[in-house]
Amino acid sequence: MSISLCATCGVEHASRPPVCAICADERQWVPADGQRWTTLEELAAAGASVTVAELEPSLWALEVAGVSIGIGQQSKLLVTPAGALLWDPLPFVDDAAAARVRELAGDAGVVAVAASHPHMFGAQLEWSRLLGGVPVLVSRADLDWVARPGAALEAWEGERELLPGVTLTQPGGHFPGSAVVHWAGGAGGRGVLLSGDTIFANPDRVSVSFMRSYPNRIPLSGRVAERVAAHVARFSFERLYNNFDGVVPRDARDVVVRSARRHREWADGDHDHLT
């Protein structure tokens, strides 16, 4: 059965409403020429494929190539001896992509598919189906954004150890249920944070941003930025990856804390004399 994908955000839908609710929200956008839909079959016929590249040992980046679909996010596959996590699933999957992920995951297989927030739901249930029906974890606070129900969906909240040394935790911010993944074994044992765009690595690679909407430039308050930073600062992490190709390669925990303080200072007017 064909599923519908919003061409703008890439999220799978069980039906085609007049407008995708995720795109109609102030955090996203509907194209000037109106709502557009596509299917996995149409994308495959147009030449879509999934590329896989190693970011560091046991961490892989997945991207859609050959077509334009969704917001162009980068999925992460985190592989451990006890199993693998597919994080921020792409809006396209086919048998070849699923087979490659299963190969990289090894004998323990993929234990879960999870998204940092609704913009990253992608084709989450299709990924689950092609990976053997693994659970699709959705933050309970963001369940209302799910546009395609399915038996694999599993609500969660708070904090959850998915695998030894791999913790899914919920600082909120961008969405009430916005989540990140802490991987204690990453960066040679110094820790990695997979932050989605709950915490967004900036192009300078030495700072991060905290936003309600990235495309529409709506900031979070300074208080929320510092709350999010304090939540993740409970963990040790040397490196941070966002949901595109952004990375803070070193001292990432300190970078997050400093960036949140800078955000709060500017939001509070401490540096108005510079404007």
Side-chain angles (χ1 to χ4, degrees):
M1 181 181 66
S2 295
I3 64 164
S4 292
L5 297 160
C6 172
T8 305
C9 71
V11 171
E12 62 187 2
H13 283 64
S15 61
R16 294 188 175 188
V19 178
C20 167
I22 289 176
C23 289
D25 177 71
E26 69 176 1
R27 285 163 285 204
Q28 188 40 28
W29 54 279
V30 178
D33 58 356
Q35 178 67 44
R36 293 180 290 113
W37 299 97
T38 189
T39 66
L40 293 174
E41 292 81 4
E42 290 171 351
L43 293 172
S49 64
V50 173
T51 64
V52 181
E54 188 177 37
L55 293 172
E56 64 178 75
S58 301
L59 185 65
W60 302 82
L62 283 65
E63 296 184 2
V64 177
V67 299
S68 177
I69 175 65
I71 62 177
Q73 69 260 35
Q74 184 182 89
S75 181
K76 306 295 192 295
L77 179 68
L78 170 56
V79 179
T80 80
L85 167 67
L86 182 63
W87 177 243
D88 282 343
L90 295 174
F92 176 77
V93 59
D94 58 8
D95 290 338
R100 180 63 172 141
V101 166
R102 289 196 302 269
E103 176 188 8
L104 291 170
D107 292 341
V110 176
V111 302
V113 174
S116 55
H117 66 290
H119 294 155
M120 297 292 106
F121 285 167
Q124 57 186 5
L125 282 175
E126 282 302 293
W127 276 101
S128 167
R129 184 179 70 82
L130 290 175
L131 294 173
V134 301
V136 175
L137 305 180
V138 177
S139 170
R140 189 175 302 279
D142 293 335
L143 276 175
D144 287 346
W145 294 103
V146 172
R148 184 189 176 206
L153 293 174
E154 181 180 324
W156 73 281
E157 58 189 341
E159 195 158 285
R160 181 166 173 174
E161 186 175 40
L162 298 178
L163 294 159
V166 178
T167 303
L168 182 64
T169 187
Q170 187 179 57
H174 182 45
F175 276 76
S178 282
V180 301
V181 172
H182 178 255
W183 173 31
R190 292 167 293 173
V192 159
L193 193 74
L194 304 181
S195 65
D197 56 13
T198 302
I199 304 169
F200 197 80
N202 290 331
D204 64 11
R205 299 165 67 89
V206 293
S207 68
V208 297
S209 294
F210 308 84
M211 300 287 283
R212 175 168 173 81
S213 171
Y214 289 90
N216 298 322
R217 308 296 192 270
I218 307 173
L220 294 170
S221 72
R223 181 169 57 187
V224 170
E226 290 200 316
R227 185 198 78 201
V228 170
H231 184 102
V232 302
R234 299 175 297 130
F235 300 95
S236 295
F237 53 97
E238 174 73 4
R239 193 169 296 137
L240 178 149
Y241 297 95
N242 67 18
N243 53 340
F244 290 84
D245 60 358
V247 59
V248 177
R250 62 187 61 86
D251 300 324
R253 180 186 177 276
D254 291 342
V255 165
V256 169
V257 172
R258 288 198 307 269
S259 296
R261 182 169 60 247
R262 180 180 71 174
H263 183 114
R264 189 260 306 157
E265 289 172 353
W266 276 96
D268 286 355
D270 292 1
H271 304 303
D272 283 358
H273 62 287
L274 300 175
T275 65

